[in-house]
Amino acid sequence: MTKTRSLSTFLLCLLMLLQCYRTYAQETMLTGTVTDETGTGLTGATVAVKGGKQGTSTGAAGKFSFIVPAGVSTLLISYVGYETREVPVTGKELNIRLQPQNTLLNAVVVVGYGTQKRADLTGAIASARGEDIKSLPVTNVQEALQGRMAGVEVVKSSGAPDATASIIIRGVSSLNNAPPLYIVDGVRQSGDNINMQDIASVDVLKDASAAAIYGSAAAGGVIIITTKKGQGAKPTINFSARYGVTTPMTLDLLDRNDFVKLKRTLDPNYLSGVDVDTLPNTNWVKELYGHAKEDNYNLSVSGNTPGVNYYVSAFYNGQSGIYRNNSSYLSGARVNTDFKIGKYVKLGEQLYVWSRSTKPEIVTAINPPFRSIPIMPVYDTRDPKSPWGKSPIGFGGPNLVGQIETAHILNNKFNLQGNVFAEVQLPLYLSFRTTFGYTYYNENQSYFQDAYNFGQVATTINQLQKFNVNQPTIMSNYTLSFDHAFGKHALNAVIGYEQFKTTYNSQYATQTSVGGNSFSFIQTSASQATVNGSYDPNGLIKSTFARLNYNFNSRYYLSGTIRRDGNFTVFGTGNQYGTFPSGSAGWRISEEPFFRSLLPQVSQLKLRGSYGLLGNSNIGAYKFLSTYDQVNAQNFTPGGAPFIGVTPTFLSNPNVKWESVYEGNIGLDAELLDSKMFFTIEWYNKTTKNMLYGLPIPLSSGITTPFYTNIGSVRNRGLEIVLGYKDKVGDFHYSVSANGAFNNNKVLNLDNINNNPILDGNNNYGNASFGIMVNQPITITKAGLGFGQFYGYRVEGIYKTEDEISKHPQQEGNRARPGDLIFADVDGNGVINDKDRTVIGNPNPKFIYGANIRLDWKGFDLAMLFNGAAGVDIFNGVKAYASFPFADGNTTSKVFNASFLGSNQVTDQPRIDNNDPNGNYSRSSSYYVESGNYVKLKNLQLGYTFSDDLLRSVSIKTARIYVMANNLFTITKYSGIDPELSGTVTARGIDAVWQYPHARIYSVGLDLAF
């Protein structure tokens, strides 16, 4: 029986061996590579048999190999953050490229001192990928975010080559509104002059819960920028180039014939007997503005080995301005490296250096230049000593071209930011990280103004001005983190200490009657020089912080954060420290069993809420101390010794303290239809208390600097919505996303100034004493209203008859005439005076929005970015200059529509009078307030990516060419040039004549990877 059993066992083993051999004979060894959209290998991607259990993960550089059973025809390829692909098995080697997955909740975002999956977040955070912004013709991250995030208002109102954009997150929250805090690779620095090609991601912390880990610096929101790291075992070389042409958006002035026609209409004796055809016909707009260019080049090398991760890049961006003698050139380099030392230690550094050289517009870029006349020539060849055209009779203004060409100015900025870190993995799931950073910023400017003679405007004395500012900052940071999951519980905690030490040093020097005509101080017998400056080595901020995140079963979430900041130069004893706590909670409803059966088409649904406190210290140093200056020596007895006296220059306030921002937030995140559709809804309530503000002091006091104090509170309430959908039809892929934000801004009180209103804003000609509306405030800020409401007279129409005039209240000392504006008698006292000024418009938009459309088909891609605003008013200050002959200068053809000009009767435009006694053009009124609603195609980009088969033969991983247009068109009812305007907190939305013109950019570009 034993023999029989042994024989049976042998035969069974033999049959199994034969079966295994038969099976093995039909299996296939499959190898391949999985890469991202740029051709970089993805380590850790899953390669699995569709419908089976066989599979593997990719190793270094995205390589994989495994045995595929017989009959397998399809593989499933997946990687976190990328679209899952089904790939047919067509051979023994496969090269597979994945596209990024644009789902909202599966993405990983950077938070303060760490990262989290968006599905685990309990705060309000918006994100943008570097791939979406890398080709934009911008050099600051603010402008790159325009139209991409709900509640993030980005406005660029200048086309200057070095202009930055203003950014407001969830409304203007203070009279001394703090800008966002920028964190680049974990270290504070400026958001300007960053190479867009270096950016991997941008995460914006919008609510107090998300931002409280940064405490006093986070009142304006936090923008976290993460730069790229190396990927793939083999080095990857990326090169990109872009060239663009910039065109100005300007108004046209009257030419010679129309200018003389207007002048003779107003004064028949103007240039009596002069043949107009013999006069010059200068187009000053074309003399000052013209086409410009922009070119950009970027080169990077990156890679990843088991011990070293590296990314090295360099870039150059050159822009000539659309304004005469205006340009800016920026260059920079970055080095990011990580070194792994064993299993538990990692060392690394980030180094970024940039330099910008700019020729700024020394003469304000008035658009258009109303203080000019076409009958004045640019040059006068009859005077070799002063070749500039001279002022004709009746004109006392300058030669604008001469002003620019005789002013030589160069501004240089240099910034070096470097940090090194060490990270050690400790027992008990602990990790310790220390970071040391150093930032050095230097700016210097040389401005030489040569002597000139323009006729009525002339100077025989030249002048040289120079200044230099440098500011080094040393940062040290220490954090201890705990991260562990046990059973259904997950706990993440971090505690830390951070310190910033800053030194400020500046020198200013001026010398007149300089020898030569360069930037050298060459003294002559007539030279006079002044030198001053400042030095402060005491800038110091110390901070401690902690955060605790807990979740149960990836379903219920709790988070708490606290930070304590000490600012030792802004606030005095007793007010130096501020403590900023926050708490939040979240519930992933979609993880509940009852919900899965109820709505299976909704794959993700999360409800979250938060409340927190932030601080603001955005004022200059030492406002809590009195300062004094020496005054002229005086003798107090006849023939006595002179004494040098002192006088106060600043009134101190030892009680000035932190401004506090309290914010609550409720959010709902969802994905549905197999993650093809997603949406987020946020509601917030943000109240700022003890606003910091510099109160103006009467000039009679002899003190010109304001008195800083805490004066009141303001509230912002709003609703934000993000909605997106993506899908594909065959080879056609498309994605559409839109975002919108409603916000209501309201000043609750201005208690420390007895709720007195704050008047601000002007429509001068770049000079407080010269212009059409001199010494007239255009905005008002008071309790019950939003910041900076437009302020003036309400217009009820235009007088058509004397009978209408006799029935309406008139101004004191003036009786209107037909063709004049009708000003409302707001207080009903029967007289039009200052008491009739009232709120006439709101410059704060009620709704801002953006939309992104992306289409892909067989290598072609089309991307469109829209942005806009609604429920907003604009004060069209240019309208007065464009409809009325300004001073002794020019205007536009709109002037010919004025009532009773020439053969005109009453029109929709008031009459013209040299003295403007009714104030039609020289008084702030609702006649100049217009709707500022607009939708703008901010960026349009069409590209083509060449196929792999074509590129492989020339050893190129990827190649893409594209054409692009920026600021392409605007749909609006606004009659001005462009409704996209910024401004100060209490004086925004004023379209003044000194706005540097907006511009359009048409570009062509190339991206290569080797």
Side-chain angles (χ1 to χ4, degrees):
M1 186 171 180
T2 303
K3 290 182 178 179
T4 303
R5 187 175 293 174
S6 299
L7 180 62
S8 299
T9 302
F10 172 75
L11 292 174
L12 180 61
C13 291
L14 180 61
L15 288 172
M16 292 177 65
L17 181 62
L18 291 173
Q19 180 63 28
C20 289
Y21 174 79
R22 179 172 176 270
T23 302
Y24 176 76
Q26 295 178 358
E27 292 173 340
T28 303
M29 175 62 73
L30 187 64
T31 62
T33 305
V34 178
T35 63
D36 64 9
E37 73 278 15
T38 67
T40 302
L42 294 173
T43 302
T46 299
V47 182
V49 173
K50 182 180 181 181
K53 298 182 179 180
Q54 299 86 349
T56 186
S57 296
T58 58
K63 301 291 184 181
F64 70 88
S65 64
F66 75 111
I67 296 175
V68 178
V72 171
S73 60
T74 305
L75 300 180
L76 287 177
I77 318 297
S78 61
Y79 186 77
V80 175
Y82 286 78
E83 299 279 0
T84 298
R85 280 192 61 185
E86 293 186 9
V87 179
V89 179
T90 57
K92 295 184 178 181
E93 182 176 356
L94 296 175
N95 293 310
I96 304 157
R97 177 171 292 177
L98 299 183
Q99 294 297 320
Q101 187 179 40
N102 294 323
T103 59
L104 185 66
L105 298 182
N106 287 337
V108 174
V109 299
V110 181
V111 296
Y113 310 100
T115 60
Q116 280 185 285
K117 284 187 64 176
R118 183 170 288 278
D120 298 336
L121 291 175
T122 51
I125 300 180
S127 303
R129 299 188 314 141
E131 287 297 311
D132 296 330
I133 62 177
K134 68 177 185 178
S135 298
L136 295 177
V138 300
T139 57
N140 61 80
V141 73
Q142 304 100 314
E143 192 177 355
L145 299 181
Q146 192 169 37
R148 299 181 184 276
M149 299 177 176
V152 180
E153 182 185 4
V154 181
V155 177
K156 186 181 181 184
S157 57
S158 170
D162 62 336
T164 59
S166 67
I167 183 167
I168 299 172
I169 298 175
R170 293 189 162 182
V172 181
S173 58
S174 172
L175 285 166
N176 200 51
N177 202 53
L181 170 67
Y182 294 89
I183 304 293
V184 182
D185 293 326
V187 178
R188 296 187 190 186
Q189 59 177 281
S190 168
D192 299 332
N193 303 320
I194 292 180
N195 181 13
M196 293 295 113
Q197 296 278 348
D198 287 344
I199 295 177
S201 65
V202 181
D203 297 288
V204 179
L205 315 185
K206 297 191 293 183
D207 74 328
S209 170
I213 193 72
Y214 292 107
S216 65
V222 182
I223 299 177
I224 300 179
I225 301 169
T226 303
T227 60
K228 293 178 179 178
K229 294 184 177 181
Q231 293 183 345
K234 294 182 179 180
T236 297
I237 300 174
N238 288 278
F239 172 77
S240 65
R242 184 181 70 245
Y243 179 84
V245 176
T246 308
T247 62
M249 300 167 64
T250 60
L251 291 176
D252 291 325
L253 294 172
L254 298 179
D255 63 9
R256 175 191 60 194
N257 293 344
D258 283 339
F259 176 78
V260 174
K261 174 184 174 183
L262 173 64
K263 286 288 190 177
R264 288 178 172 174
T265 300
L266 299 174
D267 178 9
N269 295 319
Y270 180 75
L271 295 181
S272 178
V274 176
D275 184 357
V276 176
D277 292 336
T278 63
L279 299 173
N281 189 11
T282 303
N283 188 328
W284 290 99
V285 175
K286 289 187 177 180
E287 292 291 342
L288 300 183
Y289 300 102
H291 293 323
K293 68 180 182 69
E294 184 238 16
D295 52 332
N296 188 89
Y297 306 95
N298 182 84
L299 179 66
S300 68
V301 180
S302 63
N304 186 21
T305 69
V308 181
N309 182 297
Y310 59 92
Y311 176 86
V312 181
S313 72
F315 77 101
Y316 167 83
N317 179 273
Q319 298 181 62
S320 58
I322 55 177
Y323 192 57
R324 194 180 186 110
N325 275 11
N326 177 213
S327 60
S328 190
Y329 302 94
L330 173 67
S331 58
R334 178 180 297 277
V335 180
N336 293 348
T337 54
D338 294 343
F339 302 90
K340 294 180 181 179
I341 303 175
K343 294 182 178 180
Y344 305 109
V345 179
K346 183 167 69 172
L347 304 177
E349 58 75 35
Q350 288 92 36
L351 175 67
Y352 183 55
V353 58
W354 59 262
S355 176
R356 182 184 281 275
S357 178
T358 302
K359 289 183 179 180
E361 62 277 13
I362 187 61
V363 178
T364 304
I366 301 293
N367 179 29
F370 292 103
R371 190 96 197 277
S372 64
I373 57 175
I375 62 173
M376 178 178 179
V378 176
Y379 303 101
D380 184 359
T381 56
R382 298 171 299 177
D383 185 357
K385 293 184 179 181
S386 181
W388 305 111
K390 307 302 188 295
S391 309
I393 296 174
F395 180 67
N399 183 313
L400 297 175
V401 173
Q403 272 191 318
I404 295 172
E405 296 295 343
T406 57
H408 309 280
I409 186 168
L410 184 64
N411 181 281
N412 293 304
K413 298 178 181 179
F414 173 83
N415 188 80
L416 181 148
Q417 190 279 319
N419 65 82
V420 295
F421 71 87
E423 188 173 304
V424 182
Q425 299 298 321
L426 302 173
L428 303 177
Y429 313 104
L430 293 171
S431 174
F432 176 76
R433 180 182 175 112
T434 180
T435 304
F436 294 95
Y438 177 77
T439 300
Y440 178 79
Y441 175 78
N442 179 266
E443 180 177 357
N444 63 80
Q445 184 179 97
S446 298
Y447 167 35
F448 175 75
Q449 177 61 65
D450 206 349
Y452 53 78
N453 179 12
F454 307 143
Q456 294 293 322
V457 179
T459 180
T460 58
I461 300 175
N462 64 27
Q463 180 175 274
L464 175 61
Q465 298 177 359
K466 286 195 173 190
F467 77 77
N468 182 77
V469 174
N470 61 76
Q471 185 171 336
T473 300
I474 299 174
M475 183 276 292
S476 56
N477 174 278
Y478 310 90
T479 59
L480 181 65
S481 303
F482 174 86
D483 193 356
H484 182 55
F486 45 99
K488 295 182 178 181
H489 306 273
L491 193 65
N492 174 274
V494 60
I495 59 173
Y497 171 81
E498 194 169 57
Q499 176 177 299
F500 293 88
K501 185 73 172 64
T502 302
T503 299
Y504 180 85
N505 188 18
S506 65
Q507 303 85 35
Y508 300 84
T510 300
Q511 182 172 302
T512 60
S513 300
V514 179
N517 58 353
S518 69
F519 292 147
S520 299
F521 282 116
I522 301 176
Q523 187 169 346
T524 67
S525 59
S527 294
Q528 293 184 351
T530 59
V531 180
N532 54 49
S534 62
Y535 177 74
D536 181 11
N538 299 315
L540 179 63
I541 298 175
K542 293 182 177 182
S543 307
T544 53
F545 53 88
R547 179 179 60 219
L548 178 65
N549 293 329
Y550 167 78
N551 83 72
F552 175 76
N553 201 22
S554 296
R555 188 180 303 173
Y556 308 110
Y557 297 84
L558 291 173
S559 179
T561 302
I562 189 168
R563 183 172 179 124
R564 178 174 167 83
D565 285 327
N567 194 318
F568 298 90
T569 58
V570 172
F571 302 115
T573 303
N575 295 314
Q576 293 172 336
Y577 283 96
T579 302
F580 310 100
S582 75
S584 59
W587 176 28
R588 289 183 69 183
I589 306 172
S590 56
E591 298 302 303
E592 299 287 355
F594 75 85
F595 186 85
R596 294 179 182 176
S597 59
L598 185 65
L599 290 172
Q601 65 270 33
V602 180
S603 56
Q604 300 271 11
L605 183 65
K606 182 178 65 174
L607 177 67
R608 49 188 167 79
S610 67
Y611 189 81
L613 170 64
L614 302 172
N616 182 16
S617 58
N618 188 38
I619 59 175
Y622 307 114
K623 304 304 181 186
F624 57 92
L625 296 176
S626 296
T627 59
Y628 298 85
D629 270 354
Q630 292 184 344
V631 295
N632 295 332
Q634 301 287 336
N635 58 334
F636 296 95
T637 60
F643 291 90
I644 296 178
V646 293
T647 183
T649 58
F650 178 77
L651 290 181
S652 67
N653 182 4
N655 298 317
V656 67
K657 60 184 180 179
W658 292 93
E659 178 177 299
S660 301
V661 182
Y662 300 82
E663 183 174 8
N665 188 90
I666 298 175
L668 183 68
D669 305 317
E671 288 185 2
L672 55 160
L673 305 177
D674 295 327
S675 296
K676 293 178 181 178
M677 184 177 182
F678 65 86
F679 69 83
T680 293
I681 300 175
E682 308 261 9
W683 176 88
Y684 62 88
N685 185 14
K686 180 168 63 172
T687 301
T688 304
K689 298 180 180 180
N690 298 315
M691 288 188 293
L692 292 166
Y693 183 64
L695 287 173
I697 297 176
L699 294 177
S700 59
S701 67
I703 298 175
T704 58
T705 54
F707 173 76
Y708 279 86
T709 186
N710 303 91
I711 72 166
S713 60
V714 64
R715 184 187 67 208
N716 283 276
R717 282 180 179 169
L719 181 70
E720 300 169 353
I721 302 172
V722 177
L723 179 65
Y725 186 85
K726 61 183 180 63
D727 202 354
K728 63 179 181 177
V729 180
D731 294 325
F732 179 68
H733 297 248
Y734 63 94
S735 64
V736 179
S737 64
N739 65 82
F742 298 89
N743 184 75
N744 177 261
N745 175 269
K746 184 178 181 180
V747 177
L748 301 180
N749 65 78
L750 297 173
D751 44 19
N752 278 3
I753 55 174
N754 300 319
N755 276 319
N756 290 329
I758 298 172
L759 302 179
D760 199 0
N762 66 77
N763 189 29
N764 301 324
Y765 197 73
N767 185 308
S769 61
F770 187 66
I772 282 184
M773 298 180 185
V774 176
N775 297 324
Q776 281 193 62
I778 292 177
T779 67
I780 186 170
T781 298
K782 66 178 182 179
L785 300 174
F787 283 131
Q789 303 290 287
F790 294 133
Y791 182 61
Y793 295 88
R794 190 170 68 239
V795 171
E796 297 179 328
I798 294 179
Y799 288 117
K800 295 180 174 59
T801 65
E802 288 288 348
D803 184 57
E804 287 181 324
I805 296 171
S806 63
K807 294 179 181 178
H808 196 279
Q810 297 295 300
Q811 300 177 49
E812 296 173 327
N814 178 71
R815 178 180 171 82
R817 293 172 54 187
D820 283 335
L821 295 177
I822 305 172
F823 297 119
D825 182 17
V826 173
D827 64 357
N829 67 352
V831 178
I832 305 299
N833 54 27
D834 286 351
K835 295 180 180 179
D836 292 309
R837 289 186 296 175
T838 186
V839 173
I840 54 177
N842 183 3
N844 303 300
K846 296 178 181 177
F847 182 59
I848 58 172
Y849 56 92
N852 294 267
I853 301 173
R854 169 87 184 197
L855 310 175
D856 295 271
W857 180 75
K858 292 185 177 181
F860 290 96
D861 61 86
L862 176 66
M864 291 176 281
L865 171 65
F866 296 87
N867 77 294
V872 59
D873 296 318
I874 291 176
F875 188 91
N876 188 350
V878 178
K879 183 177 180 180
Y881 295 86
S883 307
F884 182 83
F886 169 57
D888 53 356
N890 204 350
T891 186
T892 74
S893 58
K894 293 181 180 180
V895 70
F896 292 112
N897 296 325
S899 295
F900 299 111
L901 182 68
S903 60
N904 292 347
Q905 297 301 308
V906 176
T907 67
D908 60 356
Q909 189 171 308
R911 72 182 185 91
I912 290 173
D913 187 297
N914 286 335
N915 298 317
D916 196 27
N918 194 64
N920 297 327
Y921 297 94
S922 56
R923 175 173 288 178
S924 173
S925 72
S926 61
Y927 178 74
Y928 299 101
V929 176
E930 302 181 30
S931 170
N933 299 346
Y934 72 92
V935 58
K936 178 178 291 190
L937 180 53
K938 195 65 180 181
N939 184 263
L940 173 66
Q941 193 170 155
L942 175 64
Y944 180 76
T945 302
F946 292 91
S947 65
D948 292 346
D949 294 337
L950 178 63
L951 298 177
R952 195 175 296 115
S953 61
V954 290
S955 301
I956 298 177
K957 287 185 179 180
T958 61
R960 177 177 179 266
I961 59 173
Y962 62 91
V963 292
M964 178 172 58
N966 216 55
N967 208 19
L968 190 59
F969 67 78
T970 303
I971 300 174
T972 181
K973 293 182 179 180
Y974 178 57
S975 66
I977 297 178
D978 197 306
E980 186 178 339
L981 297 168
S982 59
T984 63
V985 171
T986 55
R988 67 178 302 191
I990 300 174
D991 193 359
V993 291
W994 59 83
Q995 296 280 352
Y996 192 109
H998 283 268
R1000 293 189 178 94
I1001 304 176
Y1002 303 93
S1003 308
V1004 59
L1006 170 68
D1007 292 330
L1008 297 174
F1010 302 91

